[in-house]
Amino acid sequence: MQLGLIGLGRMGQIVVERTLAADHDVVAFDLDEDAVATAAEAGAEPAASLEDFTERLGTDKRIWLMVPAGEAVDVTLEELEPYLDGDDIVVDGGNSYFEDTVRRAESCPATYLDCGTSGGPAGAELGFSLMIGGPQWAYNELESVFDAVATGPDGHERMGEAGSGHYVKMIHNGVEYALMQAYGEGFELLHEGRYDLDLENVASVWNNGAVIRSWLLELCEEAFREEGTDLGTVADRIEGGSTGTWTVQEGLEQEVPLPLIYTALSERFGSRADDGRFSRRLANRLRYGFGRHEVPRRE
Ligand SMILES: NC(=O)C1=CN([C@@H]2O[C@H](COP(=O)(O)OP(=O)(O)OC[C@H]3O[C@@H](n4cnc5c(N)ncnc54)[C@H](O)[C@@H]3O)[C@@H](O)[C@H]2O)C=CC1
Ligand SMILES: O=C(CO)[C@H](O)[C@H](O)COP(=O)(O)O
């Protein structure tokens, strides 16, 4: 099969390499010429523009988008629109908001598949876990590509109609936030607690047979090995947050309580206060108000 790939960053290059390794042909485009050159070195056919890209694909185009979620997806679809019809298939492999996906699936002239992708750049060798939404015929048509990009045939599934793939991936990310928070709290207590522990050793022994072993825990072990047991210069600041916010919003809409995911998301926002958390400073001052407790003050 010939696959067109748009968006050749951390994730897109892996899709290119794994698709080529499975003996498919790849036409590659990115706004960044260096990224196109890297894909060409891997064996993809480079495209100089989106028009050139669509010409190289001919009829019955199979296109995979791996651009940042949001505006970049809309801009790309808008530019592709004149070249697309219902026999073409567009896969959005990024972390798009599922309601955007439903809207795009309705307006895109091509048949649209949404593909939640999990595994991250570190999953390049193993392959990804793919959660796919959209028409069954299009999923079947691209099955050999999904086999290549995923860990294999068990690494991808059709979840249901348009939007369902990105919906499942959004909630996957909410779970990811909560798991990170749980490991973070446990290791914080171990770090601050009664014993002088080597946290890499703790993570390592937990990863060997413990109930809480996981890939995230292997990444904890790697972090302590590379940064030190006190995490060295790693700052108390967590970026990201969009997928966790959408998950919490959906929990509110569905009236499903998500206290762990909400707390993990709040911790991220809290970590970004430049000057300490205002709420904690006010609580500090209020303890003086009602109890005449001493007020610790900043320098
Ligand atoms: N990095 C990760 O761990 C994961 C990322 N994702 C999702 O995959 C998507 C891509 O992520 P990354 O590869 O990490 O991003 P990235 O920032 O490494 O790469 C994005 C690429 O898209 C290109 N691009 C941006 N706008 C474009 C446009 N209009 N036309 C053509 N190319 C354009 C950029 O030049 C860049 O090469 C995002 O939606 C992200 O949320 C999903 C799972 C894991
Ligand atoms: O989808 C992912 C992992 O599964 C991406 O790494 C995503 O960027 C994580 O979300 P956030 O940036 O909000 O932490």
Side-chain angles (χ1 to χ4, degrees):
M1 183 181 300
Q2 186 193 40
L3 183 74
L5 223 302
I6 302 177
L8 306 167
R10 286 165 296 190
M11 297 294 286
Q13 293 288 356
I14 296 169
V15 176
V16 168
E17 284 161 23
R18 294 188 64 87
T19 306
L20 288 168
D23 284 337
H24 297 294
D25 297 323
V26 174
V27 178
F29 176 70
D30 194 293
L31 294 178
D32 178 351
E33 287 175 14
D34 292 342
V36 178
T38 304
E41 275 165 35
E45 193 181 330
S49 65
L50 265 190
E51 193 177 355
D52 180 34
F53 172 86
T54 52
E55 277 166 14
R56 288 172 190 275
L57 288 178
T59 55
D60 293 352
K61 302 175 190 59
R62 300 326 180 211
I63 298 173
W64 188 305
L65 307 182
M66 213 62 195
V67 298
E71 202 187 340
V73 178
D74 283 318
V75 167
T76 307
L77 289 174
E78 210 172 294
E79 287 183 34
L80 283 174
E81 192 172 317
Y83 308 102
L84 298 176
D85 63 44
D87 294 330
D88 301 320
I89 302 173
V90 173
V91 180
D92 176 9
N95 273 329
S96 294
Y97 181 48
F98 75 97
E99 286 189 357
D100 289 340
T101 296
V102 172
R103 167 179 58 77
R104 289 168 187 149
E106 279 167 6
S107 62
C108 182
T111 303
Y112 205 76
L113 292 175
D114 47 296
C115 174
T117 306
S118 179
E125 278 183 32
L126 193 65
F128 298 132
S129 165
L130 303 178
M131 298 138 259
I132 298 152
Q136 183 75 53
W137 78 264
Y139 173 76
N140 294 346
E141 174 70 20
L142 281 175
E143 203 154 357
S144 61
V145 169
F146 293 140
D147 285 349
V149 176
T151 54
D154 292 338
H156 60 88
E157 280 293 346
R158 178 177 174 267
M159 302 289 115
E161 65 206 71
S164 60
H166 282 152
Y167 188 78
V168 174
K169 178 57 173 35
M170 171 186 82
I171 295 169
H172 158 288
N173 278 29
V175 173
E176 183 179 288
Y177 281 42
L179 290 175
M180 287 164 65
Q181 180 69 19
Y183 285 124
E185 289 182 12
F187 280 111
E188 182 167 338
L189 184 54
L190 291 169
H191 185 255
E192 304 298 325
R194 290 166 188 260
Y195 294 92
D196 185 15
L197 296 164
D198 179 328
L199 297 186
E200 183 193 343
N201 282 345
V202 175
S204 169
V205 79
W206 280 353
N207 274 321
N208 282 278
V211 169
I212 58 171
R213 65 189 182 274
S214 71
W215 188 50
L216 277 174
L217 189 56
E218 287 171 24
L219 297 178
C220 293
E221 188 181 334
E222 177 187 281
F224 294 127
R225 184 169 57 252
E226 293 179 1
E227 304 288 347
T229 204
D230 63 354
L231 290 180
T233 57
V234 177
D236 167 18
R237 182 179 175 89
I238 321 167
E239 299 289 356
S242 55
T243 52
T245 301
W246 301 335
T247 308
V248 169
Q249 282 168 347
E250 179 64 0
L252 292 173
E253 268 187 51
Q254 300 298 331
E255 299 188 9
V256 172
L258 304 174
L260 299 181
I261 297 173
Y262 176 71
T263 301
L265 177 66
S266 300
E267 284 293 316
R268 288 199 183 198
F269 294 155
S271 77
R272 298 172 200 171
D274 284 337
D275 203 15
R277 296 285 303 281
F278 193 86
S279 56
R280 291 181 195 155
R281 291 172 55 214
L282 182 58
N284 172 16
R285 182 59 179 72
L286 289 177
R287 288 187 73 257
Y288 172 79
F290 60 70
R292 291 297 180 258
H293 302 294
E294 196 177 334
V295 181
R297 294 193 179 269
R298 29 189 206 187
E299 296 298 306

